[in-house]
């Protein structure tokens, strides 16, 4: 199977192994000659099972086609597929859980999206919703930062976030936004409800219309000198708060 023009590149040991194990369409894998022999054997075995072409190349070749942070592994894969909103509800139902979604309102940094995907996977969130415009999508940088989570967390791309919020509310999901001026502390989040958490743009936060459509908003107490947290850090705190409420320590 040869590389195709619309293939995307993912780099790093964990993202490539995760893609192979998740039975993604991986067309070609490039391994550095200096890569650990045990890692080489594992990837070659997974690549063979997946029907991918696996080539051993000089490390210099990988340096030339990547940003250099490849860990001796790169792969060409079919573009990442997006899910539908129904897929997220189905996923929750299959697990016998109440819906637990994340809405990212015009998030632009691929590293933030990748980090949020890792936390979403760790906390059992059923999926992420992003807008088609003015937002980062599923890119190679997102895949690298997600360290394999991109294979396990479905992402839905919608035309209009505000309209999607309306649809979620019509389907009995409570939509909770984040805002610095919110009166309610995030630690009061109720995990025993179907919930979608909204995290806004790194600079502007949640758009005015989306904020207005949220059922309510919560804030994260800030005692230091900075006025806000990184979007992925703030999202992680919210996700773990819902997770904590849903799975209390016995």
């Amino acid at each position: 199977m040869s590389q195709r023009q619309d293939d995307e590149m993912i780099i790093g040991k964990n993202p490539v192994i995760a893609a192979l194990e998740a039975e993604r369409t991986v067309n070609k894998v490039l391994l550095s000659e200096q890569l650990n022999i045990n890692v080489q054997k594992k990837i070659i075995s997974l690549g063979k099972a997946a029907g991918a072409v696996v080539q051993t190349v000089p490390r210099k070749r990988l340096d030339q086609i990547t940003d250099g942070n490849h860990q001796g592994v790169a792969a060409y894969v079919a573009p990442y597929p997006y899910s539908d909103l129904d897929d997220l509800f189905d996923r929750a139902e299959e697990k016998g859980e109440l819906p637990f979604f994340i809405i990212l309102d015009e998030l632009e940094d691929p590293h933030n999206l990748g980090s949020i995907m890792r936390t979403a996977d760790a906390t059992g969130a059923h999926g992420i919703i992003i807008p088609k415009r003015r937002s980062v999508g599923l890119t190679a940088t997102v895949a690298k930062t997600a360290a394999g989570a991109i294979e396990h967390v479905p992402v839905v791309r919608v035309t209009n976030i505000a309209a999607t919020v309306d649809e979620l509310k019509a389907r009995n999901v409570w939509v909770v936004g984040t805002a610095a001026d919110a009166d309610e502390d995030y630690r009061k989040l109720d995990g025993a409800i179907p919930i979608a958490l909204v995290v806004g743009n790194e600079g502007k936060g949640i758009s005015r219309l989306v904020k207005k459509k949220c059922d309510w908003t919560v804030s994260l107490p800030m005692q230091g000198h900075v006025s806000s947290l990184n979007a992925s850090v703030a999202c992680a705190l919210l996700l773990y708060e819902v997770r904590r409420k849903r799975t209390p320590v016995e």
Side-chain angles (χ1 to χ4, degrees), residues 40-75:
Q40 278 196 38
K41 287 180 178 178
K42 180 174 183 176
I43 293 177
I44 289 171
S45 175
L46 289 170
K48 184 177 180 181
V53 174
V54 182
Q55 295 180 350
T56 303
V57 298
R59 185 180 182 90
K60 194 173 183 180
R61 167 86 186 282
L62 291 174
D63 290 339
Q64 290 171 341
I65 62 174
T66 70
D67 61 5
N69 190 25
H70 48 69
Q71 300 176 315
V73 187

Side-chain angles (χ1 to χ4, degrees), residues 104-203:
L104 302 179
D105 188 18
E106 298 186 9
L107 201 74
E108 297 175 342
D109 188 338
H111 297 94
N112 277 336
L113 177 54
S115 295
I116 288 170
M117 294 190 84
R118 291 182 72 170
T119 311
D121 181 57
T123 55
H126 301 119
I128 296 172
I129 300 167
I130 63 173
K132 289 181 179 178
R133 298 179 61 193
R134 297 187 296 276
S135 172
V136 64
L138 297 181
T139 66
T141 301
V142 171
K144 179 71 165 56
T145 309
I150 198 170
E151 307 297 339
H152 307 289
V153 179
V155 176
V156 178
R157 260 199 321 189
V158 299
T159 303
N160 187 299
I161 289 290
T164 301
V165 168
D166 286 338
E167 181 178 350
L168 290 173
K169 290 165 71 172
R171 297 175 73 167
N172 301 314
V173 175
W174 294 92
V175 180
V176 182
T178 51
D181 60 354
D183 292 329
E184 183 167 312
D185 190 299
Y186 83 101
R187 288 169 291 186
K188 292 183 179 179
L189 278 171
D190 185 352
I193 58 173
I195 193 168
L197 299 171
V198 187
V199 175
N201 174 275
E202 291 88 348

